[in-house]
Amino acid sequence: MKQRLITGIVAGAVFLGLCAFGGWSYQLLLTAMALIGMFEFVKMTGLSPFSSTSLLGYASIVCFMIPWGLLDVSPWLSWEQGIWLMLLLFLLVTVFTKNKQDIKITALLFTGIVYIGMGFSYMGTARAAGDEHGLFWTLLLLCCIWGSDAGAYFVGRSFGKNKLWPAISPNKTVEGALGGVLISVVISVIFALFVPDLLTIGRALLIGISCAVLGQLGDLVQSAYKRVYGIKDSGSLLPGHGGILDRCDSWIIVFPFVHIVMLMPFY
């Protein structure tokens, strides 16, 4: 617990400091996190992290993370065009390697680049969007996610009796999940009360619920993958916490979701 606490404080201070600063420093941090996350994902599949297919995956992540707004240029391709071209390249890997990298592996890696690349990309979008209020929206989502995690943990330990999804994550309970939703909603409403011009109570309720529900589902997604591959953590970068995917599994689901369903008012 001591190691976990120290790691959390140090990593959290670095992340929040660069997040507050914004700009290129924060974007480079997100890009590094996305690449490490992809490295963990590749290792989890059993593929060599330095194979040509893996390198294609890292290159695709970098493409997702290009900060067009900071470069002050328009994207060369739409999301749909870019994702389709990436899909084509991964399909061709099977052909060019003469089935040494079969369709199962390439399909899994393609899933990984979309899952990780879009997740961290939308985190950068949230910080850069909304003019000078990007930090507000980023902190709102992060605080709701963290509050949901803490609420689910402490409420689950204190009152949890009914297992939520024992086949995937045996320690999670229905009571803990509901506690996480409640704490997330409370945090979101507090943000709305302090800055009513930016966030209405109605939108705050939707964002709070979305962060909690999607965040917990993101956690279950990562738990399911790790259970399939028989591993406890996706990596060991953060002592006491595991890897990047272990710590950011909720983030990379929540940030794209709230943008795609247009819960962010500036989007």
Side-chain angles (χ1 to χ4, degrees), residues 142-246:
L142 288 174
C143 287
C144 286
I145 293 169
W146 292 335
S148 173
D149 287 345
Y153 177 77
F154 288 109
V155 173
R157 288 201 61 172
S158 301
F159 306 105
K161 294 180 180 179
N162 301 290
K163 298 297 183 181
L164 178 66
W165 216 311
I168 292 177
S169 187
N171 294 325
K172 288 182 171 56
T173 64
V174 173
E175 294 81 3
L178 293 175
V181 172
L182 177 61
I183 297 300
S184 178
V185 168
V186 168
I187 290 172
S188 189
V189 169
I190 289 173
F191 269 77
L193 292 175
F194 273 99
V195 193
D197 293 339
L198 283 181
L199 182 63
T200 65
I201 294 296
R203 191 181 293 274
L205 292 173
L206 291 174
I207 289 175
I209 293 170
S210 297
C211 286
V213 174
L214 271 296
Q216 292 182 47
L217 287 174
D219 190 4
L220 288 171
V221 166
Q222 191 60 214
S223 295
Y225 284 172
K226 289 187 290 188
R227 186 165 290 271
V228 167
Y229 289 103
I231 57 176
K232 182 179 182 296
D233 296 317
S234 65
S236 57
L237 178 67
L238 304 170
H241 290 263
I244 289 294
L245 293 183
D246 293 309

Side-chain angles (χ1 to χ4, degrees), residues 10 34 47 51 62 73 96 100 108 114 144 170 175 177 182 204 210 217 262-263:
V10 173
L47 185 66
S51 68
V62 171
V73 295
F96 292 144
K100 290 181 181 178
L108 189 58
V114 175
C144 286
E175 294 81 3
L182 177 61
S210 297
L217 287 174
M262 292 182 283
L263 286 179

Side-chain angles (χ1 to χ4, degrees), residues 21-261:
F21 194 73
W24 279 101
S25 58
Y26 183 60
Q27 188 65 34
L28 290 173
L29 173 65
L30 291 180
T31 302
M33 292 170 68
L35 287 170
I36 294 170
M38 189 63 197
F39 177 85
E40 293 172 355
F41 190 91
V42 169
K43 286 191 67 178
M44 190 163 56
T45 67
L47 185 66
S48 168
F50 302 107
S51 68
S52 57
T53 312
S54 302
L55 294 177
L56 176 60
Y58 304 140
S60 299
I61 291 291
V62 171
C63 290
F64 270 112
M65 298 303 298
I66 294 174
W68 299 104
L70 292 175
L71 294 171
D72 199 24
V73 295
S74 299
W76 300 327
L77 302 170
S78 68
W79 274 109
E80 295 86 353
Q81 292 168 330
I83 289 175
W84 188 87
L85 286 175
M86 289 179 187
L87 173 63
L88 176 62
L89 290 174
F90 274 90
L91 290 174
L92 291 176
V93 165
T94 300
V95 176
F96 292 144
T97 62
K98 299 178 181 179
N99 281 329
K100 290 181 181 178
Q101 297 294 323
D102 64 30
I103 191 67
K104 293 179 181 178
I105 288 294
T106 54
L108 189 58
L109 290 188
F110 179 74
T111 299
I113 66 167
V114 175
Y115 166 56
I116 297 166
M118 289 191 72
F120 282 103
S121 175
Y122 273 111
M123 289 179 65
T125 299
R127 180 63 183 87
D131 300 321
E132 71 276 17
H133 303 303
L135 181 60
F136 172 85
W137 298 112
T138 301
L139 290 178
L140 167 63
L141 298 183
L142 288 174
C143 287
C144 286
I145 293 169
W146 292 335
S148 173
D149 287 345
Y153 177 77
F154 288 109
V155 173
R157 288 201 61 172
S158 301
F159 306 105
K161 294 180 180 179
N162 301 290
K163 298 297 183 181
L164 178 66
W165 216 311
I168 292 177
S169 187
N171 294 325
K172 288 182 171 56
T173 64
V174 173
E175 294 81 3
L178 293 175
V181 172
L182 177 61
I183 297 300
S184 178
V185 168
V186 168
I187 290 172
S188 189
V189 169
I190 289 173
F191 269 77
L193 292 175
F194 273 99
V195 193
D197 293 339
L198 283 181
L199 182 63
T200 65
I201 294 296
R203 191 181 293 274
L205 292 173
L206 291 174
I207 289 175
I209 293 170
S210 297
C211 286
V213 174
L214 271 296
Q216 292 182 47
L217 287 174
D219 190 4
L220 288 171
V221 166
Q222 191 60 214
S223 295
Y225 284 172
K226 289 187 290 188
R227 186 165 290 271
V228 167
Y229 289 103
I231 57 176
K232 182 179 182 296
D233 296 317
S234 65
S236 57
L237 178 67
L238 304 170
H241 290 263
I244 289 294
L245 293 183
D246 293 309
R247 290 304 90 205
C248 302
D249 49 11
S250 298
W251 309 5
I252 57 180
I253 294 294
V254 168
F255 275 84
F257 179 84
V258 296
H259 282 81
I260 291 169
V261 301

